[in-house]
Structures are given as structure tokens and as C-alpha cells.
Amino acid sequence: MAVTLTNPVGGSAGAVADARPVLLQATGVCKAFDLPDGNGAFTVLQDIHLAIREGEIVALLGKSGSGKSTLLRILAGLIPPSSGLVVSCGKPVLGPNPDVAMVFQSFALLPWLTVQENVELGLKARGVPREERRQRALQAIDRVGLDGFESAYPKELSGGMKQRVGLARAFVMQPPLLFMDEPFSGLDVLTAENLRSEVADLWAAGNFPARSVLLVTHNIDDAVLLADHVIILGANPGHVRGEVHIDLPRPRERTMPGYEQIKDAIYLAMTNPEADVQQLIAGIDRRAETRFAPLPHARVGGVSGLLELVDERGGAQDIAELAGELNLDTDDLLQFLDAARLLGFAEIQSGAVTLTPVGRAFVEADILESKELFRRQALERVPLLRFIVNTLKSSKRGAMDAEFFLDVLDEHFPADEARRQLETAVEWGRYAELFEYDADKSRLRLPDESLAGAPA
Amino acid sequence: MALRTFPTREALKRLPFGLADVAILLGVIALIYLVAAVGAGALVAFEPPEQLPTISLDPANLPYYLARSTLRMFVAMGFSLAFTFVVGYAAASNRYAEQIIIPTLDVLQSVPVLGFLSVTITGFIALFRGSLLGLEAASVFAIFTSQVWNMTFSFYHSLRNVPGDMQEAAAVYRLSRWARFTQVQAPAGVIGLVWNMVMSFGGGWFFVAASEAISVLNQEYTLPGIGAYVTQAIAQEDMRALLLAMAAMAALVVVIDQVLWRPLIAWADRFKIEQNEATQAPRSWMLELLRRSRVLQAVREALAEAGEKLSARSRRARLARRQTWPRRSLLSVRRVDALFNIVLLLIVLAISGLAIWFIHTEVGFEEMLEVVLLGAATFVRVAIIVVVSTLIWTPLGVVIGMNPRVARIAQPITQFLVSFPANFLFPFITIGLIHFGVSLDIGGILLMALGAQWYILFNVIAGAQSIPNDLREMAANMRVSGWERWRSLIWPAVFPAWVTGAITASGGAWNASIVAEIVSWGNTTLTATGLGAYIAEATGAGDWPRIVLGVGMMCVYVVGLNRLLWRRLYALAETRYRL
Ligand SMILES: Nc1ncnc2c1ncn2[C@@H]1O[C@H](COP(=O)(O)OP(=O)(O)O)[C@@H](O)[C@H]1O
Ligand SMILES: [Mg+2]
């Protein structure tokens, strides 16, 4: 049985994951629903292959309507696949999957049963004796922080508390697999945040009541904060577009290095249905602190002018002197210096600026060579430019609206600053001939010959 | 050293009995005695025409007669419940059963129960030859057929509409069929079922009264009960007995409401599926009493324990069973469906053919035409009742429903009016008609309206009460008032409730026509031109072909009306005006 999984980013992590036993495996799963009183059917899922391994949280991420819930229900054995096979803990799934406990977006509590009776539901069906059932239910209720609400009815509880009951009902089964279908989507933002971080903490603590988790969500934060693997589902019909391996340490925070990059890459993948997920993911820079360290507001002409001046003076110059000589505002000068340093053309030490070998080469080369040098330095050292180029490369026609990048930058900078950042990036990129800018349509696109060029 | 003069809480808890327990125990003993004593009356010999029960108008006998009638009501309700669970569940869980049951119920629901009384009475008397049980069974059957259909429908609908996620939760947590039924499906149907039981029980009194004294096939049959008592009083023109019977009946309706329906409704409140806290949960002193009882708690505990043991046995087998997806080949399903439809069609064709042949040989087509016209006359009466009741009770119902304080007082009153058997009031109207010389052709409308109109009021009040507060606030905020407020807010909001009320009222009026188009006081008998009178006369004379024709024609009218009018309004209410 050949299960082809797209390669997760970071080869080493992939190798570790492969060593773990597979708990649940779907092979070639397709699902079509009959159209109402018409002939023919409407395909919702096409040839899905996936595996959930021991000890991992897998997130199934896709827009609403992409078939996530349908896939989850097939894996849980609630509906049969039209074709394909699901194997759970070594047994084919041919009915409600006994290895799965499930948490529902709408909670799905029975309103006529108390919290405790709801939690005991599955144990009772399994035939656990009364006293043991009670003990285990109370423990689970305690664990989700509902101590003291055992005999309350669901309608007396807030949404967040109801979902805690849903979690307790699943936890108490101690299932190999915990399935969660949009567990936080029915809650208000703060409650969702709260509950998600509690689930994350439980998982990180190492005594989680389930061995693996499958989380269905359309929320990127849910996926990046919780999952080890994010499977991105495309729509019409639902298919696996790719998989992102997330190796951020737990407990995770949004402020962690790398978090925003992964999120942006996934966001990009989700907003560009045609984009190649693998390409985008490959663009994630794992070394940078934050991808979009602000660009200095310096035009390329200004930077090279400054470098030439320094070069003429023997390759080193005191900054205060330089400012006086150029009759420049110190602030403006600093912007130029920053740019030079960012591009690796100069170094600044104890109030003096010194050209680097690359900087010297840049100043002394002819125009074509210096462009080439600038391009190389920019791609290597300016994440924003690299991001733009990669995005353009993975987009359909090698072109994107500037508005899109502005949106992305808006998440990192105040609106004015975002615009200035983009202006600078565009100026640099045009100089380096990394991309072209069509001011009329306000679109960025790759120069024709570089469409087939190697990625940065 | 601390002196304890009163028992500690723990000691009190250890006491097995509380005051509530004493009350309940006494109640149970009294009930058992009553049922045994009264029930014995059903087993006496009965050899018509020599040996017939007689009715005495002595007021001292009134409680006994009331008890006999009440017992009949509860026996019928028991059968109705059993039928509801079995048939409702079957229809909801099997596609083919559903295709037969639902249309059948739909027709049965529209059939004039009273028209069939003649058929069933002869049948049951033959079945229990020599015992009064035959007549009892016929009466119980009549009550049963008046109660059961809406209960079954309600339960079926609830089962079909159990929220999908709850069903999935039941599947994920691997509940057995039985656990699914008792913990998920049946609870989801409780509220609808309880309300329909209340309505059915109220409607049932009408049929108790009508079925206890009836002349079928030239034979007067009398069954000891409150209905027979009233009939006797009418025959003897005994006003005092009549008033007494009415008062006793009213008291009984109130008592049953207090000790049975209120607590049931209050108890059922926890089966609400809407998750938000209700506006105001219904309360009942009786339920409080029952909840306080320790004996009942112990009984419940013991039952739970027993259930635990029972289910443990079946569980092992169930969990061990291998699972397989149901095999589904599209072709075979289609074939079975086609075959099924052909069989159904053949049955329907056979019945229609039989009916036409029967009418042709027994009564002839001219009379059939005449019966169609009689049906039209009754139809006009029914239509007038629905229109006039709507014009009167809709505005009033809305005003009551939108004013919570008034509603709290008015709702129990209308519920009482719905439950009180209207045929108890017939004699008073009859006297008036005779006195003023009004024809029953007109007066019959009043008689038929006596019971039917309250359904409209009752439902409209409920509809107006459920208008969401935010919509009302929005209307106030937008300064929508007067006619515009009615048109854009109130009417659409109460429309579904009105449809329900109007359907019930119309069905009730058709049924009532059989007893309302012929009435008597002493030796004076008034007759109206209409299908109801035709059926009643044919029944009295034992004229089988005309009974069949009359009842069949009423079915055609009622079912036709349902298809052409009510069902469309219902669909409109469901799609356009659903809140
Ligand atoms: N029982 C069903 N019958 C027909 N279509 C369905 C059924 N369930 C889901 N679908 C369709 O399948 C698609 C995917 O639905 P779903 O799995 O709920 O998506 P998601 O959970 O990603 O939002 C939708 O277009 C939905 O209309
Ligand atoms: Mg979904």
C-alpha cells in the first residue's frame, strides 16, 4: 500500500516522524454525494491519502466547504467513503470507529443530561461499571476545569464551558485518537484563545488523554499553535495540497521566532488556490528573527553615492564628519548607512563606517556587475524582497497585486509604515531587476526571463 | 458536651420517609383501589337487548360515572402512547415503513372518528360477546382514534429532526440502539409528545361523551359514564343533572390538569433542545412534591440498577459484532422502490374500485351527488367557523400573547376551554334554538364552533408569545406601528401557529358536525342539512351502504381540503415564516 505524502519541510523532522507507528491511515479516499433527485453525484473528496502517527497533532486546514468535516467523518467511520480505505489501529474502518472520540463545533451535548451524565455517556455504552464510571467522569470534569459543575445542565453553561464538557466527554474515553471538528469556532475570540491554550498546555504536559489528535479547522492560528503537521486541503473537490511540518517548540506563542513566517506562508497558500504549497513552505526562513525587519528608507542611488564617497576617502570614514561634509540630516544619513549595512556593503564600528569587500566590489564594478551584486546581496539578506520574489514565483502568472503585499505588511507595521516599506522594497527590487512594477495596475511581476530562474 | 435536641441533617436523611412520601403513597393506594373498583364495572354481563346497563341521574352516582369515563380516557391514552412509540419509531427508522405509515396516518387523521363508531361497536360487541367489555373497547377505541394520530406524527417528526450532531455523538460514543432511543431520540420527542398528549386528552373528552351513548343499527347502547349521564339528562329534560354534570366535568378537567399535565409539562421542560435558558420554565407543585419523595428516588435508583444489569448482557454481544458498511447497490434500491410503489398503487386502485362498485350497486350515483352537496353544506359551515373564529380570536390572541401578564392568566383558561367537551354545552344551545325557533342549519354552526374555535385562540396566543423580543424592539425602534406592524411583524410571526390552530379547528368542526347536525332536547329533535346529519341518521338506522358513503365522502372532503389548502399553507409557514 503506497501512501505518498508530500515531503514535510525539514528533512530531519520528517525522518523522526516516520519512525513512529501509524495510528490511522487513509488511502485513496474519495467521497461523492448523490445529487438530490437527479442522476449523478457531486464529488466532495478526491483521492485523499494521509496518515496520523502516534504522538502527534495533525491539523486539517482548509476553507469552509473544502470537505474537512466530511473527511473527518469518514475517518471517524460515521459515513462510508465512496472508495478508498481507512485503517485505524490496524483494523479497517467499516462503521463508527471505536478508536476515536470526537469533539464537535456545536458541542453536541444532550441537553437533558447533566454534565456528569453527558461525560459518562460513552463509558456507559462501553459497559464500565457505575462506580468506576463516576470516578473517571469526575476526574475528566476536574481536568477540564469544570469541578463543581457535575450536576449542572448544559443550558446553564456558557459556550466555553459547554465545549469543556465536550472535551471531558472525549477525554474520559482515553481514546487512541481524539478528533476535533472546529472545536473553537463556535466560541467568542477570547474564550477560544483560552481553551486552545489549555488544550495546548495539556498536550505539552505529556499526559494527554489521547495518543494522537486530528484537528479540523479553518483558522490558521489554531493549526500553527497546536499542530505538528498541517495538512492543507484544497477545494472543489477536496484534495491534499501539501503538508507543513511545524517544529516550533511547545508551549507555543505567537511572538516566537518563525511563528509569523509559518503563518504567512500558510496564509499565502490558502489565499492562492493555485500556488504550489511546497514552494511557499520552502520560502520560510528559519534563521531570521522576524522576516520583515524594517527596511531603512533609503533609495539605492543615495546608498551607492554614500559608498562611493567612503571609497574615495580610503574605505573608512568617521560618521559625524561625513554628515557635516554631505550637509545631510543625521537621520537621513543613518538610513543610508543602515541600508548599506543591511545589504552587507558596509560595517559600522565605534562611530566609523568601513566598506566590506563586497561593498568595495559594488562601488568599483560597472553598472551591470553592480546590479548583479546588489541582486545577490538583496536576495540573501533582505527577507521582504525574497518573500516578494518567492510569492511571485509561486503565483499563477508570476504577478501579484501590490495590495496583497501591503496586506501582509499591514500585519507587521502600522499602515503608513507598511506603505513606505513596500515603496522601498519596490524601489530596490526594480533596481536589482528582481521584479517589475506596473504603476497603472499597481501590480508586481517577475521580469520575463527570470520566470524560469532558480529560486533564491 | 453539646446537647442535640433535634435530629441532624444526616439523621433526617436516613429517615426513609418524608411527608411527600406519605402523600404519594396514600395517593397511589387510593388510585389502585379506584382503578380496581371502577374497572370491575367493565366486566359485567351484557346481553343486548335484554341485559343493558342503566343510568341513574342520582347525583350520588356522578363520581362513579366520572371515574368510569376517566378510566376509559387513560386506557385509551395508554394504547395511544404504545402505538406512538412503536409506529412513530418504525416510520422514523425504516424507509419503507415510512412510505406506508405516513400517508396512512395522514388519511386516518382526517377521518371522522365518530362516523366509524357504528362499525367498531358492532365489531367489538361481536368480539367480546356477552360482556360489557365489547362496548368498553369500542368506546376506548373511539377515544384512541381521536387521540393517537397527532401524537404519533409529533413523535415521528421529533425523531426525524434529532439534531445531526447529537446523532453523530451517539454513533461516535457507540450507544446501543436502545440507549440511542432512550437517551437521544425519545428525549428529543418528549416536549412535542407531552403537548400533543395534553391536546389529545382534551379532545378525547368529546369522544367519551359521544361514544358512551349512541344508537347504532336501531339499538340504543349505553355505557355507564359521564357522557351517558348527560344523554340521559337530555332525554329526561333534567336541567339540574345537566348543570351538575357540567360542573363535575369542569372540576375533573382542572384536577387532571393539576396532578398530571402541569407536572408533566414542567418535567418535560428539561428536554428542550434550544440551549439558551428559557424565558420562564413552567412549574408545578405536584412535580415538586414528587421530586421531594425519597421513595420515588429509591425506586428510580433501583430501576437504574436493573437497567444497568440488563444492558450489560446485550452489550457484550453488540460490541463484539463485526461492522460492515451497509451494502448499497443503486440499481437494486431503485428496483425495490419501484416494486414497492407498484404494490401500493395496486392496493389503492383496488380500494377505490371496490368503493365505486359498492356505491354503484348499493346506493346509486344520484344519491352520491346528493351526498356531495350535503358535504358542501357542511363545508360551508366549517369555513364560516374558521373564518369567523380567525377574525375574532386572532387579534385577541395576539393582544393576550404579547402581554405576558394577561397571557399568564389567559393561557390556562383557553387550555381549559380546549379540554372541556363542547358537547356538554350542546343542550343549552339546543334549548335556546328551540325557544327562539332558529333553524339548526344556522344554529349548527354555533354548535360546531363551540369546541373548534378555541384551537385558534390557543395557538395564536402561543404564537404571539414566541415572537422574539428583539424583533418587537426593532419594530418599536423603527417606529413601525398600526397596520404596518401587523402586516410586517405580527401576522408573519403568528402565521405558523395560526395554521396549526386552523387545521385543528377545521378537523374538529368536521368531526363535531356528526353530533351537531342532529340534536335533541327531550322529545324534540332538530336536524340540519349536512353530511354530519346524513352520517348520524345512517348510523342510527344501521344502513351500511349509506354509512360507508357518508364517511367516505367526509374523508374525501377533509383529505382533499388538507391537500389543496392546509398543506400549502403549512409549507408556506414552514419556509417563509419560520422564526
Ligand atoms: N450529506 C451531504 N450531502 C450532500 N452534500 C454534502 C453533505 N455533507 C457535506 N456536503 C457538501 O460537501 C462539501 C464539503 O462540506 P464539509 O465537509 O462540511 O466542508 P467543511 O467542513 O470543510 O466546511 C460542501 O459543499 C457540502 O455542501
Ligand atoms: Mg466543517
Side-chain angles (χ1 to χ4, degrees):
Chain A
M1 179 171 13
V3 176
T4 44
L5 271 174
T6 46
N7 269 327
V9 188
S12 62
V16 170
D18 282 347
R20 294 177 165 173
V22 170
L23 282 188
L24 182 123
Q25 182 150 36
T27 316
V29 165
C30 300
K31 181 72 189 177
F33 288 110
D34 292 335
L35 288 171
D37 47 58
N39 301 331
F42 146 68
T43 307
V44 173
L45 294 173
Q46 183 126 59
D47 196 31
I48 305 277
H49 296 267
L50 62 83
I52 300 173
R53 290 171 192 281
E54 174 102 44
E56 63 181 17
I57 299 183
V58 175
L60 209 54
L61 186 66
K63 288 184 195 169
S64 93
S66 54
K68 305 180 297 289
S69 297
T70 307
L71 179 55
L72 187 87
R73 276 157 181 73
I74 291 173
L75 300 180
L78 290 172
I79 51 175
S82 303
S83 65
L85 183 67
V86 179
V87 176
S88 172
C89 296
K91 300 177 297 289
V93 172
L94 298 167
N97 186 341
D99 309 319
V100 165
M102 193 146 143
V103 174
F104 297 81
Q105 174 175 3
S106 52
F107 322 129
L109 303 177
L110 300 177
W112 37 84
L113 300 184
T114 61
V115 167
Q116 185 173 345
E117 288 166 335
N118 265 296
V119 174
E120 285 184 15
L121 197 67
L123 293 179
K124 202 169 167 185
R126 195 188 269 179
V128 177
R130 240 172 144 196
E131 191 49 33
E132 184 189 341
R133 212 161 69 203
R134 205 179 64 86
Q135 291 294 344
R136 282 171 67 175
L138 288 178
Q139 216 176 350
I141 291 168
D142 194 26
R143 187 164 212 175
V144 298
L146 279 182
D147 209 5
F149 287 93
E150 298 83 14
S151 48
Y153 284 94
K155 68 171 171 222
E156 300 162 31
L157 306 180
S158 67
M161 288 161 94
K162 280 180 200 158
Q163 194 57 299
R164 283 167 196 270
V165 181
L167 279 168
R169 183 173 65 180
F171 285 172
V172 80
M173 303 299 291
Q174 304 192 320
L177 289 155
L178 175 68
F179 280 16
M180 303 202 269
D181 189 359
E182 310 260 6
F184 314 118
S185 305
L187 308 173
D188 67 78
V189 183
L190 283 178
T191 311
E193 185 78 38
N194 208 347
L195 199 56
R196 178 176 49 212
S197 69
E198 275 183 49
V199 170
D201 290 347
L202 272 178
W203 180 263
N207 57 347
F208 201 78
R211 274 146 65 193
S212 298
V213 177
L214 178 64
L215 167 76
V216 159
T217 182
H218 63 253
N219 182 321
I220 302 177
D221 276 319
D222 280 354
V224 181
L225 283 169
L226 288 175
D228 298 301
H229 294 280
V230 179
I231 296 173
I232 299 181
L233 222 54
N236 298 324
H239 60 281
V240 174
R241 286 178 60 199
E243 185 177 325
V244 186
H245 175 67
I246 299 178
D247 55 5
L248 296 173
R250 293 175 192 273
R252 292 174 182 169
E253 301 283 345
R254 285 196 172 80
T255 51
M256 274 182 170
Y259 179 89
E260 284 295 327
Q261 290 163 269
I262 296 173
K263 190 181 161 186
D264 284 341
I266 295 177
Y267 177 78
L268 209 55
M270 305 264 298
T271 46
N272 289 296
E274 287 88 10
D276 179 349
V277 174
Q278 241 40 69
Q279 277 256 353
L280 288 173
I281 301 314
I284 297 175
D285 182 9
R286 283 160 186 287
R287 287 157 302 167
E289 281 274 291
T290 63
R291 181 165 25 171
F292 304 134
L295 291 182
H297 303 293
R299 303 185 66 82
V300 180
V303 176
S304 59
L306 177 77
L307 291 175
E308 271 171 37
L309 191 72
V310 177
D311 188 39
E312 278 168 24
R313 301 286 155 91
Q317 178 77 32
D318 186 69
I319 294 176
E321 238 174 81
L322 205 58
E325 194 162 330
L326 291 172
N327 198 13
L328 262 177
D329 194 321
T330 330
D331 187 45
D332 287 343
L333 178 64
L334 282 178
Q335 298 277 356
F336 289 135
L337 287 170
D338 252 6
R341 191 177 53 172
L342 176 66
L343 288 162
F345 291 148
E347 277 167 4
I348 293 166
Q349 232 161 20
S350 50
V353 52
T354 325
L355 290 192
T356 60
V358 188
R360 197 178 303 278
F362 175 71
V363 175
E364 287 164 5
D366 66 28
I367 180 79
L368 281 180
E369 277 172 8
S370 63
K371 274 198 184 204
E372 178 56 39
L373 265 179
F374 189 92
R375 174 156 59 226
R376 215 183 63 202
Q377 293 298 99
L379 276 180
E380 191 174 305
R381 307 187 56 121
V382 184
L384 179 55
L385 285 174
R386 189 165 54 237
F387 168 72
I388 293 176
V389 170
N390 278 328
T391 307
L392 292 175
K393 278 186 176 151
S394 56
S395 67
K396 208 170 24 176
R397 273 182 285 278
M400 292 285 286
D401 283 336
E403 195 65 24
F404 168 77
F405 296 105
L406 209 52
D407 276 352
V408 174
L409 286 169
D410 267 342
E411 304 215 343
H412 301 261
F413 302 103
D416 280 353
E417 183 57 28
R419 187 164 290 282
R420 287 169 68 184
Q421 287 288 319
L422 187 62
E423 277 166 9
T424 307
V426 166
E427 208 258 341
W428 289 18
R430 289 172 90 178
Y431 172 80
E433 292 175 14
L434 286 167
F435 46 77
E436 290 165 4
Y437 179 65
D438 181 340
D440 290 338
K441 294 188 193 142
S442 166
R443 260 173 99 73
L444 293 175
R445 62 186 193 80
L446 295 175
D448 295 337
E449 73 276 18
S450 79
L451 266 174
Chain B
M1 187 179 74
L3 250 176
R4 285 227 175 88
T5 49
F6 27 70
T8 59
R9 276 172 70 95
E10 288 70 39
L12 267 177
K13 266 194 193 138
R14 254 179 272 122
L15 268 177
F17 271 40
L19 220 57
D21 291 300
V22 175
I24 287 166
L25 220 64
L26 286 179
V28 168
I29 291 170
L31 197 67
I32 291 173
Y33 170 76
L34 214 70
V35 169
V38 171
L43 301 172
V44 299
F46 172 65
E47 299 279 358
E50 295 84 26
Q51 217 173 342
L52 283 173
T54 50
I55 301 293
S56 135
L57 288 185
D58 181 355
N61 288 330
L62 205 49
Y64 174 70
Y65 289 143
L66 269 182
R68 284 289 290 267
S69 297
T70 311
L71 189 59
R72 253 163 241 144
M73 287 284 282
F74 279 108
V75 172
M77 184 49 81
F79 280 112
S80 297
L81 266 179
F83 182 93
T84 294
F85 284 131
V86 173
V87 176
Y89 184 78
S93 45
N94 182 298
R95 222 157 65 84
Y96 295 110
E98 182 179 23
Q99 277 182 46
I100 300 174
I101 291 171
I102 296 310
T104 311
L105 288 189
D106 199 27
V107 171
L108 285 175
Q109 190 179 28
S110 329
V111 162
V113 175
L114 288 179
F116 277 124
L117 215 49
S118 44
V119 187
T120 52
I121 283 185
T122 20
F124 278 114
I125 289 177
L127 198 63
F128 299 94
R129 202 168 287 286
S131 165
L132 195 59
L133 213 52
L135 215 50
E136 287 281 3
S139 172
V140 166
F141 187 75
I143 302 165
F144 166 83
T145 48
S146 78
Q147 289 176 338
V148 72
W149 316 123
N150 56 326
M151 286 168 54
T152 309
F153 261 119
S154 150
F155 194 61
Y156 157 79
H157 279 298
S158 307
L159 290 192
R160 285 300 303 268
N161 294 324
V162 173
D165 57 353
M166 283 188 199
Q167 296 181 38
E168 285 183 344
V172 166
Y173 293 106
R174 309 191 79 207
L175 268 58
S176 64
R177 226 171 227 274
W178 174 249
R180 243 178 250 207
F181 181 72
T182 54
Q183 311 223 38
V184 183
Q185 298 171 314
V190 164
I191 291 196
L193 186 57
V194 166
W195 273 108
N196 275 284
M197 279 167 74
V198 174
M199 294 307 267
S200 283
F201 199 82
W205 286 116
F206 186 94
F207 295 91
V208 167
S211 68
E212 283 174 355
I214 190 166
S215 69
V216 176
L217 317 182
N218 289 320
Q219 170 73 54
E220 292 286 335
Y221 290 102
T222 315
L223 197 54
I226 185 77
Y229 186 91
V230 169
T231 312
Q232 184 82 357
I234 292 171
Q236 296 181 10
E237 302 191 9
D238 186 340
M239 199 48 147
R240 197 180 67 108
L242 212 54
L243 285 171
L244 264 174
M246 257 187 57
M249 187 66 226
L252 184 61
V253 168
V254 171
V255 167
I256 292 180
D257 182 67
Q258 285 296 311
V259 301
L260 185 63
W261 301 127
R262 286 292 120 200
L264 252 184
I265 290 169
W267 170 77
D269 191 58
R270 64 160 150 150
F271 295 102
K272 263 207 187 116
I273 289 184
E274 293 89 68
Q275 293 269 314
N276 44 2
E277 191 70 75
T279 41
Q280 197 170 23
R283 298 164 62 97
S284 151
W285 58 265
M286 184 75 186
L287 187 63
E288 306 280 309
L289 188 76
L290 291 175
R291 282 206 173 125
R292 237 176 290 142
S293 156
R294 269 165 230 149
V295 170
L296 277 187
Q297 259 163 28
V299 169
R300 233 173 43 185
E301 199 69 2
L303 282 178
E305 198 65 55
E308 198 93 346
K309 291 223 175 76
L310 253 164
S311 58
R313 223 180 283 168
S314 63
R315 184 178 304 112
R316 246 166 276 134
R318 175 173 61 84
L319 291 180
R321 213 168 34 227
R322 268 184 63 87
Q323 296 179 318
T324 49
W325 289 118
R327 237 176 257 292
R328 199 178 72 119
S329 142
L330 224 57
L331 197 69
S332 69
V333 169
R334 290 233 177 94
R335 274 211 193 125
V336 173
D337 274 4
L339 194 73
F340 182 79
N341 285 335
I342 289 172
V343 170
L344 273 191
L345 192 71
L346 283 179
I347 293 175
V348 170
L349 280 179
I351 292 176
S352 330
L354 216 65
I356 291 173
W357 175 78
F358 182 76
I359 291 165
H360 175 67
T361 53
E362 300 288 337
V363 288
F365 284 101
E366 304 79 58
E367 182 160 348
M368 197 177 118
L369 198 69
E370 193 185 314
V371 175
V372 171
L373 293 177
L374 287 176
T378 302
F379 167 72
V380 170
R381 288 193 191 101
V382 173
I384 291 174
I385 290 166
V386 171
V387 170
V388 173
S389 315
T390 299
L391 291 179
I392 297 174
W393 294 124
T394 309
L396 265 168
V398 167
V399 170
I400 294 172
M402 286 178 64
N403 185 336
R405 258 192 309 170
V406 181
R408 215 169 304 137
I409 302 164
Q411 194 70 323
I413 298 177
T414 45
Q415 211 181 319
F416 170 79
L417 290 171
V418 166
S419 295
F420 190 82
N423 34 4
F424 279 40
L425 299 172
F426 281 11
F428 302 100
I429 309 272
T430 312
I431 295 170
L433 294 180
I434 294 170
H435 183 78
F436 293 107
V438 180
S439 151
L440 193 63
D441 282 332
I442 308 290
I445 300 176
L446 195 59
L447 289 180
M448 283 156 67
L450 230 42
Q453 57 184 330
W454 307 120
Y455 290 109
I456 292 184
L457 177 62
F458 183 76
N459 280 287
V460 168
I461 292 179
Q465 275 177 318
S466 67
I467 298 179
N469 216 23
D470 50 358
L471 283 188
R472 287 166 65 174
E473 283 167 356
M474 178 278 294
N477 175 253
M478 308 287 268
R479 299 183 185 281
V480 178
S481 62
W483 170 241
E484 187 53 34
R485 187 164 121 103
W486 266 91
R487 207 181 56 84
S488 59
L489 173 68
I490 295 173
W491 178 246
V494 298
F495 181 72
W498 174 82
V499 173
T500 311
I503 293 176
T504 323
S506 137
W510 277 105
N511 238 324
S513 74
I514 297 177
V515 286
E517 288 182 348
I518 292 192
V519 289
S520 49
W521 178 248
N523 295 320
T524 325
T525 298
L526 300 178
T527 309
T529 313
L531 192 53
Y534 180 86
I535 295 174
E537 275 168 350
T539 308
D543 184 347
W544 279 105
R546 284 179 180 76
I547 294 174
V548 173
L549 177 60
V551 170
M553 186 59 66
M554 198 172 270
C555 290
V556 169
Y557 264 97
V558 176
V559 173
L561 216 63
N562 278 351
R563 291 287 140 104
L564 294 179
L565 180 68
W566 296 124
R567 186 170 282 194
R568 287 182 193 180
L569 288 179
Y570 215 80
L572 189 68
E574 285 279 290
T575 51
R576 277 277 299 286
Y577 295 130
R578 195 170 185 163
L579 279 178

